[in-house]
Amino acid sequence: MSNSTLIAVIAIAAVVVIALVVGLWMAARRRRLQNQFGPEYDRTVEAEGGRRAAERELRAREERHDKLEIKELPPERRDRYAVEWSSVQEHFVDRPEGSVEEADELVSRLMRERGYPTDDYRGQLRDLSVEHGRTLEHYRAAHDVKVRSADQQTTTEELRGAMVHYRALFDDLLSDQRSR
């Protein structure tokens, strides 16, 4: 075998190995994002029009989230929030619309105390998606009902469903005590 043939074989083998390594690395990165973001990964792929754009967006969310100062709540604050949630639920029987509004305010207050910005709804979704992607759809559904209830365009059953959805995110935020 001549030197030029050997060099060509080695070059082709190197290109194949590099392509394989890059492909495996990209697949591992995609799996990590899918596991971390859960259903939010697919939602972002659809919204961004493709995997590459979605993965860029999700990595940008991670970078932004890393700059936030998310903190644990001391046990007494977690207990206080649990008591407040029970009170909100008790009010539902007499004032369903008001209870949904209270639930939204309580979730926002909990988010703020944990270190999440609460200035705008879209920003909340973006920031929550990094660690709470599996309960984010609950938040979207609850928020939608809350917005519609302001115009009295919801049924009591929809309001009850919103409370269940808020509870899912509330529990996730309250129990997620990982330090960053």
Side-chain angles (χ1 to χ4, degrees):
M1 190 181 292
S2 70
N3 279 345
S4 58
T5 305
L6 184 60
I7 290 172
V9 168
I10 291 172
I12 291 170
V15 168
V16 168
V17 167
I18 290 170
L20 220 98
V21 168
V22 168
L24 290 172
W25 176 75
M26 289 177 70
R29 187 172 66 173
R30 177 170 291 144
R31 261 191 315 280
R32 184 189 66 75
L33 288 172
Q34 287 171 326
N35 288 336
Q36 178 179 353
F37 285 91
E40 188 65 14
Y41 178 90
D42 293 328
R43 177 183 264 279
T44 307
V45 168
E46 187 175 312
E48 295 291 324
R51 289 185 187 277
R52 294 181 86 189
E55 289 173 5
R56 238 185 338 270
E57 165 62 20
L58 295 173
R59 285 191 305 277
R61 290 181 192 186
E62 287 177 318
E63 289 173 15
R64 176 182 159 77
H65 187 273
D66 287 345
K67 293 175 185 171
L68 299 176
E69 294 184 31
I70 306 301
K71 55 190 166 269
E72 285 187 34
L73 293 180
E76 62 274 0
R77 289 300 299 149
R78 287 195 314 258
D79 293 345
R80 181 69 195 134
Y81 274 107
V83 167
E84 287 185 62
W85 181 264
S86 293
S87 176
V88 168
Q89 283 184 299
E90 289 171 8
H91 296 152
F92 184 81
V93 174
D94 296 326
R95 332 178 273 110
E97 290 92 356
S99 292
V100 168
E101 184 67 37
E102 284 181 63
D104 184 73
E105 290 170 10
L106 185 60
V107 166
S108 292
R109 202 164 26 130
L110 175 57
M111 287 171 54
R112 195 170 26 260
E113 189 168 341
R114 292 280 320 272
Y116 288 98
T118 57
D119 299 333
D120 74 298
Y121 174 68
R122 287 193 187 280
Q124 289 174 332
L125 293 174
R126 179 191 60 231
D127 294 334
L128 285 171
S129 70
V130 176
E131 289 188 353
H132 304 280
R134 299 200 184 284
T135 53
L136 207 52
E137 201 53 43
H138 288 286
Y139 188 43
R140 280 188 179 95
H143 182 77
D144 175 60
V145 171
K146 183 195 94 124
V147 168
R148 288 186 300 114
S149 76
D151 298 327
Q152 283 89 30
Q153 296 183 5
T154 54
T155 66
T156 302
E157 186 58 27
E158 288 173 312
L159 295 167
R160 186 196 64 72
M163 292 296 289
V164 170
H165 290 305
Y166 275 124
R167 178 65 190 243
L169 179 61
F170 178 82
D171 286 345
D172 198 28
L173 284 165
L174 201 58
S175 66
D176 180 38
Q177 296 297 305
R178 291 174 282 171
S179 298
R180 287 227 151 249

